[in-house]
Amino acid sequence: MPRIVVIGGVAAGMSAASQAKRREPKAEVVVFERGPYVSYGACGMPYNIQDPARDIEDLVVISPERFRTERGIEVRTGHEVVAILRAQKKVSVRAVETGKVDELAYDELIIATGASPMRPPLPGIELPGVMVLRDLQDGRAMKRFLDEVRPRSVVVIGAGYIGMEMADVLRQRGLAVTVIEKLPDILPGYEPEITRQVRAELTRRGVSVQVDVATESIEPGGKRDSDGLIVRTSAGLHTTDMVIVSVGVRPNVALAQAAGLVLGPTGAIAVDAELRTNDPHIFAAGDCAEAHHRVLDAPAYVPLGSTANKQGKIAGANAVGAHERFAGIVGTAGFRVFDLEVARTGLGQSDIDRLGLKAVRAASTHQSKAHGYPGAKPLTTVVFAEKGTGRLLGAQMVGADVVAKRIDVFATALTARMAMDAIEELDLAYAPPFAPVYDPVLIAATVTLKELAKAGRG
């Protein structure tokens, strides 16, 4: 029976291991994980941090021991794969605690090494109180710092998804929050109609937002750790008790690259539709690998837990002889900041400009519920459609009521390569408590069709 070796746990790795064992119960499946955890809800960390009473361990879904006893998967935590010996079909593994290095042969190998938070080369980035949030150990350290040091202020460097979520969470824990973004606006890739509302919500909640400001260094506030930190920027100094760096992630590809595996144009591991690398016996899945973008019809790097789980499942199945294909992504993502839901799918204006596509852009605002029904909230939608064909290219939405599920309608339409006239005709659910007669999705489609008609006449 084959031996399947998986490098890395969590979403992609454990999905791959579980699927391989399910498809071929007699296979020997071995997972190497450098840290102590292999299955936890990483995306839930900000919300766990928000509640001082919750233990970070609440996010653990399945323990290594349960994988061993209930699923027959040999999980070896505290073990780091330091080399892939392709010619011998072996991996070289170092025990983190002892430093001892051993080799293990494989028949098929799955790389699920994930991604690491970017740490810009800032002086002082290693100081106590400067933190990132990527894995459960980061979450534990942050929660301990909040509980033991009791900081009163925080500077969040970076205004992407994690930056927004942490600004929300830490403001609700009573900290004074300052967000610093070096780009001209928050939420890179989102349209001005969206970012304006998010900035207004942050301001309303007492979060200070500074854009077009570069962070230059982080310095000790005094001789003791309790003296806090000084963040030096192009716009001045900030005295704070805590700094969170959230400027994005990069795929962990050093191991694959050293083994001669090909990286794609995004810098992540290149894979085919079956998640195979350029080595037919090695697969890659999750945040270390590229994904085919169905709208771009090209490789993309969009590291999300949903994609990692799907890719892992397919890689695991194919490692034991299946020939399943990963259909790809359309770039759907969302988050919540205070009372606002924000989501997007497909292409935005920057993508369209970069690709030189001919498209129209249509913005609209409509109520989330029927006229006169209590609790209706305005939802703003920005849609992009291709000139000539009318095909949907992308959509973004912001509001305080059922945004994420509405963006899923657009994501489905993108997957089906639907044109705007077909979207306008969709038979969506209607009842006053959850939608007006013309749902905001349908209104947005109508507005976009009008823009397409104008472009056609032009």
Side-chain angles (χ1 to χ4, degrees):
M1 283 293 105
R3 175 185 287 156
I4 313 301
V5 172
V6 182
I7 306 173
V10 200
M14 298 319 298
S15 290
S18 297
Q19 188 66 199
K21 192 68 176 179
R22 187 174 295 120
R23 295 291 186 102
E24 182 47 80
K26 294 182 180 179
E28 180 186 359
V29 180
V30 182
V31 178
F32 292 109
E33 167 57 46
R34 179 174 53 192
Y37 305 103
V38 293
S39 177
Y40 58 89
C43 296
M45 285 193 293
Y47 311 105
N48 180 286
I49 290 167
Q50 181 176 332
D51 185 354
R54 289 181 62 193
D55 194 303
I56 200 74
E57 300 280 346
D58 290 351
L59 296 171
V60 174
V61 180
I62 305 176
S63 68
E65 184 57 32
R66 282 184 59 198
F67 273 110
R68 296 185 193 105
T69 58
E70 297 177 14
R71 301 193 183 184
I73 297 170
E74 181 58 35
V75 177
R76 302 184 189 179
T77 55
H79 285 75
E80 179 181 13
V81 175
V82 293
I84 300 169
L85 311 173
R86 288 173 56 197
Q88 299 101 303
K89 292 184 70 176
K90 291 181 179 181
V91 291
S92 181
V93 186
R94 181 179 66 87
V96 174
E97 204 170 283
T98 64
K100 182 183 178 184
V101 177
D102 290 309
E103 292 181 355
L104 184 72
Y106 64 82
D107 292 294
E108 306 293 328
L109 180 68
I110 301 171
I111 301 174
T113 46
S116 295
M118 291 184 185
R119 295 177 182 267
L122 293 174
I125 197 167
E126 301 298 333
L127 287 170
V130 181
M131 302 184 171
V132 296
L133 183 63
R134 180 63 185 174
D135 59 31
L136 206 62
Q137 290 161 289
D138 295 331
R140 172 180 285 106
M142 190 176 294
K143 199 154 193 177
R144 183 183 299 121
F145 187 87
L146 288 165
D147 293 343
E148 295 178 358
V149 178
R150 298 190 178 277
R152 293 172 295 177
S153 60
V154 61
V155 169
V156 179
I157 301 173
Y161 294 159
I162 297 298
M164 294 294 94
E165 289 178 341
M166 293 312 300
D168 177 343
V169 163
L170 296 178
R171 186 75 190 104
Q172 297 203 51
R173 283 199 62 159
L175 279 71
V177 179
T178 300
V179 176
I180 298 172
E181 172 57 59
K182 70 175 181 180
L183 296 176
D185 204 354
I186 63 172
L187 295 173
Y190 277 88
E191 298 303 303
E193 291 89 344
I194 310 295
T195 59
R196 276 197 298 268
Q197 292 192 44
V198 176
R199 287 187 64 177
E201 177 72 358
L202 291 167
T203 300
R204 183 175 76 86
R205 293 296 192 131
V207 176
S208 173
V209 180
Q210 297 190 8
V211 297
D212 214 9
V213 172
T215 303
E216 298 171 347
S217 67
I218 305 168
E219 303 164 8
K223 294 182 179 180
R224 301 168 300 178
D225 290 347
S226 58
D227 292 331
L229 300 161
I230 295 171
V231 179
R232 189 178 297 275
T233 76
S234 58
L237 303 180
H238 294 275
T239 301
T240 186
D241 299 321
M242 179 182 184
V243 174
I244 296 176
V245 180
S246 57
V247 295
V249 300
R250 59 166 55 94
N252 293 328
V253 297
L255 190 65
Q257 194 170 21
L261 299 179
V262 173
L263 304 185
T266 70
I269 302 170
V271 292
D272 65 13
E274 293 188 357
L275 284 310
R276 276 189 176 83
T277 67
N278 57 298
D279 185 316
H281 297 289
I282 301 179
F283 301 79
D287 291 357
C288 64
E290 292 184 330
H292 178 73
H293 197 295
R294 296 173 68 135
V295 185
L296 293 170
D297 193 25
Y301 184 63
V302 185
L304 292 171
S306 52
T307 301
N309 276 285
K310 293 170 190 172
Q311 286 190 324
K313 182 179 178 182
I314 290 171
N318 293 342
V320 291
H323 291 282
E324 297 187 358
R325 298 171 67 85
F326 179 59
I329 61 172
V330 294
T332 309
F335 67 97
R336 187 177 185 91
V337 56
F338 297 108
D339 288 341
L340 288 183
E341 295 179 25
V342 188
R344 64 168 293 174
T345 189
L347 309 184
Q349 188 67 62
S350 59
D351 302 310
I352 289 166
D353 293 343
R354 174 172 51 85
L355 296 166
L357 299 176
K358 295 180 179 180
V360 301
R361 179 185 187 279
S364 59
T365 300
H366 202 64
Q367 294 296 304
S368 63
K369 305 182 190 300
H371 175 73
Y373 191 87
K377 305 289 185 183
L379 303 182
T380 297
T381 309
V382 181
V383 174
F384 297 92
E386 188 175 46
K387 291 181 181 179
T389 66
R391 180 170 68 98
L392 174 68
L393 295 176
Q396 301 182 9
M397 186 176 279
V398 63
D401 190 22
V402 195
V403 164
K405 289 307 170 186
R406 285 184 165 103
I407 213 71
D408 283 347
V409 176
F410 287 113
T412 303
L414 282 171
T415 302
R417 298 181 64 85
M418 291 175 68
M420 297 310 303
D421 54 356
I423 297 171
E424 187 188 37
E425 295 171 355
L426 287 173
D427 183 18
L428 303 182
Y430 160 65
F434 50 79
V437 171
Y438 286 100
D439 190 90
V441 170
L442 304 180
I443 294 289
T446 300
V447 173
T448 307
L449 285 169
K450 290 179 180 178
E451 293 299 321
L452 285 166
K454 290 180 188 177
R457 289 195 297 268

